[in-house]
Amino acid sequence: MDAQQARRVDAVLRQLNIPGVVAPEDPDNPAGPWRVYDSADYRTRHDVTADALAAVAATFSDDGPAAGPQRGFVLPPSGT
């Protein structure tokens, strides 16, 4: 993910209380790819991107109806 996508991922993780630090793979190159890590220290951190994405997906499981709009069709009233 790039820096802009990373900001959105970071916001979602915070809203869902999912642990993780979103940071660039190379701390000296913020224009490069970003990942989710278990800590901010680039010397000791471990990539947990897959775990973070799985936690987000589990939050929105298909167990019941989703809150909000659903996919479908909108038919205008006749005569318009």
Side-chain angles (χ1 to χ4, degrees):
M1 78 185 104
D2 62 23
Q4 182 178 3
Q5 293 166 327
R7 282 190 290 277
R8 288 185 285 201
V9 168
D10 185 56
V12 169
L13 294 178
R14 288 175 190 254
Q15 288 174 347
L16 299 175
N17 294 317
I18 297 172
V21 176
V22 183
E25 287 180 3
D26 178 357
D28 295 327
N29 182 17
W34 289 56
R35 308 287 293 167
V36 181
Y37 297 99
D38 61 348
S39 73
D41 185 355
Y42 73 94
R43 292 168 288 178
T44 61
R45 67 187 184 187
H46 294 95
D47 184 352
V48 295
T49 304
D51 295 336
L53 295 177
V56 170
T59 301
F60 300 104
S61 68
D62 292 335
D63 292 342
Q70 298 290 315
R71 179 180 238 178
F73 296 95
V74 176
L75 301 174
S78 61
T80 54

